[in-house]
Structures are given as structure tokens and as C-alpha cells.
Amino acid sequence: MVSTTKIKSVDFYRKIPRDLTEASLSGAGLSIIAALAMVFLFGMELSTYLAVTTNTSVIVDKSSDGDLLRIDFNVSFPSLSCEFASVDVRDVLGTNRLNLTKTIRKVPIDPHLRATGAEVHSNTGLDLINHGDEDHGDNTYDAIPLTDATFDKFSHHFQILVVNFYAPWCHWSKRLKPSWEKASEITRERYDPETDGRVLLGSVDCTEESELCKRYLYQVLMFFLTSFLLKFNISNEIFRNHIQGYPSIRIFRKGSDLKEDHGHHEHESYHGDRDTESILKMVEELLKPIKKEDHKLALDGKIDNVISSIKKAPVSGGCRIIGYVRAKKVPGEIIISARSRAHSFDASQMNMTHYVSHLSFGKLISERLLTDMKRLMPYFGLSHDRLNGKWFVNEGKFAANVTIEHYLQVVKTEVVSRRFGQEHSVIEEYEYTAHSSVAHGYYYPVAKFHFDLSPMQVLISENPKSFSHFITNVCAIIGGVFTVAGILDSIFQSTVRLVKKKVELGKNI
């Protein structure tokens, strides 16, 4: 058995008897300074250990979210009617998806970008509309022409006023004309305007009665920020809604045409078949709630769901388009425009001015997570919503047929954390740069969002710190400060003794 004496012989920390040591005031002061230095350096080391350090690199995109990219948007068009607003997606591989509706919502808005009604659903049935194309032979029929001077008179006299707003150059207006004129004359025969006074079918030529069409179809738009108009020297006239299609059949009811808070008259739109029989059936359905003892309408033929074809017309000319689309990760574009297979549009009067509330790529990131990441990495997430909160204005006084285009260069950014020797993704986001321009064209004006995804991605890797390294540094701080303080104390004490010895020698001489 090893003796206790031999074990004590390997003691590195041999003790000096307490009665052989001497405390000094200088030593106490140096000890206090050393203790404060240890605490300060320990705090600095702990802060460094807890801080997140990253390494940024650029690598080939290794996305784990598949071949499709989600694009979320919330865009408001003060001059685009929800009746005709369409969202299309195209790409360089030939994908061409038109009028997406499943993931898109359309809400009517007023000039202040406030919602004015319920969500508007696309009229997919327009593609199946029966346009009549009737041959009336030698018979000639007339529709009552309405003008700006006579419109109010007729609308206040008749319980129901059904108006066809048309343009002579419009293909669909030409197809509707014979059926409309015949239905108008038959209606006047069955419901004599002089003795009945319940219904009248009329027509408005929007090329001749432009002010009347602006009043009931276009709606003058005044933006809520007058300073915005003044800042860019923009005339209010450019914000007229010129996006309504021809022909537009509107239904005005006497007593229900009161102006609402937005200041526009309430009326309804007809989206049903356009043959004579269907129009007469629509008139019959409109008159059912309005009793007239000596009139009983009997209309034979097909029974259509006319009521479903009559919908409340948007009381304001704007539309907020909210939703998302999934696009292939190749160069492509989102196109927002006016579209209908049963209407024509006056391209020279269309205005695609819009306000982008939100546009982002990839999965939606919660505000809390994004804020936390920005706190750790201040430069993170600065460009994932580059277009948000911006107006893009078509100043119509310069040119007609103006398309507003946005060119977006999209780069994926991924943050990776390494813990316990394993690597896992913390967050993935897509950031983009944006360049916008206006272009004069010969086709219908649209709003285009071109996007081009980079084949590279930015990889931000977290550099983990070893706990053993932290402990080693702490020990080095404590030991180093203690040792340096001891050396300084020894030097100070030696210097004091040397000075005292010289003083004593000087006295003896």
C-alpha cells in the first residue's frame, strides 16, 4: 500500500503556513481589480458563446419544396371591374393557364381601396351563352334609344328599366342587336309603356353617349390621397374605370336606385343567354313580384334559371385580387387583365393602375419568425416583399393601351443550423429584386409580373460553438488573470523592498 507521504509528494499546490504569509493593502487592491477583470472577461466570453455567427455561401439550388413555387399576392386595381378580372399564368415550357379561380378571390373596392361588396365569382357560364344569331328576315325591330337627357326620365317612370350598353364596333354587340331589338318590341307590345308602365328595354350607344356610360359603367374614381395626385402631377381624369365590357346589360329598379355611401346607383347585371326567348324570360322573372291585374304573361319554350343569371352589378369599378398560384420553377409570368368570351373592350380606354399590398414567393413566413430571424441576422428578409405598399400608375394623358410590367429576379435564401453534428433547415424564403416599367402596345393593356428564378441559392449556415471550448476559455481567463495578477504583485513587492533597502543604505552612509 502506497504511503500517504509518497502521495503528498506529488502535490502541485503545496501550502505555506498561514503564519508565514503577510497580507498587504496593495495586494488587496490588486485582488479586487483581478476579480473584476475575471467577471468582465467571463461575461464577454459568455456573450460570444451565446451569439449566433453565420457563414454565407452561394450553392446550386437544392430546394426541398418540389418543382412548383407558390406565389402569394394581394393587388388592388381601382379601374378594373371584378366582373372581367382574370388571372393567367404562363411559363417558357408552354404552360398557359387562363382565368384561374380556385385559389383566387375578387372583391369589389371603391376609390379608397375599401371593399364595397361581397366576393365576386367568375362567370364561367359566359362561354356557354346562347347568342341567338337569329335571322329576322325582312322584319325590322327597334329598341328605345336612351340618351343622357332621357335616361333619368325613363328610369324614374318604369318599375324595371333594362338597358343594353353597347358599342357599334363590338362583335358581341352586333350579335346581340337583332335579338335585343326584337325582344324590346315584343316587350312593348305585351307591356304597353303608356298603360302598363312596369318595364322597358332600352339601348345606349356608348360611342355617342360617353358621359352616360361613364356615369353608369365607368364610375369616376377619386383616390383618397390628394397629395398623391399632386405629387405626381396626375389628373383625376385618368382614373376613370374604362374596363367594362360591351355589351353590358344592366337592370335598374325604380325605388332601389338610391345612392349608397359610395355615391353610386345600385343596379344589377344580366349574364344569361342573349337570344330573344331568354331575354323575354328574364323580363318575365323580373315582373313576377310586380303585380298587374289585367296582365298575365304566358311564355312557352325552354325554362332557364334566369334568376341565377341576374346578379348585383359592382357598385364601384375597382377590384382587389387576393390569392395564390403555383408556378413551375422556370421563367414565367402572372398576367392580370380583363377577359371575357362574350364581351369586347375598348383597349384605348383601359387603365391598369394598381396598388400592391403584398407579393411574395414561397411559403408564407409568420411575422414572429421573420422578426426573430431579423433580430439575429439584420440583413435577412429585407427583399422578400420588395413591391409591397407601392402604387404603379398609368398616366393616361401620355398614351393609351399602356401595359404595366414588373420584372422580378428571384433568389432563394435558406438558413441552416448545425446541432449535435446534424444539419437541419431553420427557414426558407425567396427574396427578389424588382424593376417596373410601362409599355405602349397594340393589344389589351394588362399588368404583368415576370419572374425569373436563379439556379443558385444563398445558404446561410450557423456556426455552432463547442461547450468544451467555452469551458477552456473560461479556465484560461481565470487562470491567466490570477497568474498575471500574481506576477504584478510580486514585481510590485520586489520593487518596494528594493527601494526600502536603498533608502536604508543611504542613511547608513
Side-chain angles (χ1 to χ4, degrees), residues 379-416:
Y379 57 87
F380 181 82
L382 295 179
S383 301
H384 80 288
D385 55 359
R386 183 63 66 88
L387 292 181
N388 289 15
K390 293 184 179 180
W391 279 100
F392 298 93
V393 180
N394 164 22
E395 299 189 26
K397 60 184 179 181
F398 294 115
N401 294 21
V402 173
T403 288
I404 302 178
E405 302 186 68
H406 308 280
Y407 298 88
L408 313 177
Q409 295 283 340
V410 187
V411 179
K412 179 183 177 182
T413 300
E414 182 178 7
V415 180
V416 174

Side-chain angles (χ1 to χ4, degrees), residues 73-76 87 103-107 320-324:
F73 51 86
N74 181 341
V75 186
S76 299
V87 179
T103 59
I104 305 297
R105 295 172 51 231
K106 304 171 188 175
V107 180
R320 178 180 296 121
I321 302 176
I322 311 168
Y324 69 90

Side-chain angles (χ1 to χ4, degrees), residues 128-134 136 175-176 178-180 182-183 249 270 272-282 302 304:
L128 305 177
I129 281 182
N130 176 11
H131 295 275
D133 296 327
E134 301 165 1
H136 297 154
R175 293 184 65 177
L176 172 62
S179 299
W180 185 262
K182 182 178 179 180
I249 301 176
Y270 173 70
D273 289 339
R274 297 174 181 173
D275 60 292
T276 302
E277 186 177 356
S278 297
I279 295 172
L280 292 174
K281 183 64 177 177
M282 180 244 320
K302 62 180 182 179
D304 296 324

Side-chain angles (χ1 to χ4, degrees), residues 112-129:
H112 302 279
L113 304 187
R114 297 176 301 193
T116 59
E119 177 182 348
V120 175
H121 299 280
S122 298
N123 297 311
T124 55
L126 289 177
D127 297 346
L128 305 177
I129 281 182

Side-chain angles (χ1 to χ4, degrees), residues 165-194:
F165 292 90
Y166 72 97
W169 50 262
C170 168
H171 167 73
W172 303 108
S173 296
K174 292 177 181 178
R175 293 184 65 177
L176 172 62
K177 182 179 180 180
S179 299
W180 185 262
E181 291 178 347
K182 182 178 179 180
S184 177
E185 186 159 321
I186 293 175
T187 301
R188 292 199 302 275
E189 293 174 356
R190 292 177 175 172
Y191 309 98
D192 189 341
E194 298 295 333

Side-chain angles (χ1 to χ4, degrees), residues 73 75-88 98-101 104-109 120-124 126 241 243-245 271 314 317-322 335-340 343 345 350 352 445-447:
F73 51 86
V75 186
S76 299
F77 291 82
S79 300
L80 175 61
S81 172
C82 287
E83 288 184 289
F84 307 113
S86 172
V87 179
D88 309 332
L98 305 178
N99 197 16
L100 302 178
T101 58
I104 305 297
R105 295 172 51 231
K106 304 171 188 175
V107 180
I109 59 174
V120 175
H121 299 280
S122 298
N123 297 311
T124 55
L126 289 177
N241 175 19
I243 309 300
Q244 297 290 345
H271 297 290
C319 187
R320 178 180 296 121
I321 302 176
I322 311 168
I335 303 174
I336 300 177
S337 62
R339 178 184 296 277
S340 175
H343 298 81
F345 304 98
M350 298 171 69
M352 298 308 294
V446 300

Side-chain angles (χ1 to χ4, degrees), residues 488-501:
L488 293 176
D489 184 61
S490 298
I491 294 174
F492 181 77
Q493 293 297 334
S494 299
T495 303
V496 170
R497 284 196 298 269
L498 182 60
V499 171
K500 286 182 178 180
K501 187 174 181 181

Side-chain angles (χ1 to χ4, degrees), residues 18 22 30 35 38 52 55 78 99 104 116 130 156 211 220 253 268 285-286 353 394 409 456 477 498 505:
R18 195 171 188 82
E22 180 182 4
L30 193 59
M38 289 180 188
V52 177
N55 179 45
N99 197 16
I104 305 297
T116 59
N130 176 11
H156 287 87
E211 290 302 320
V220 178
R253 300 176 186 266
E268 298 162 297
E285 294 293 339
L286 291 173
T353 292
N394 164 22
Q409 295 283 340
M456 312 301 289
I477 289 171
L498 182 60
L505 291 173

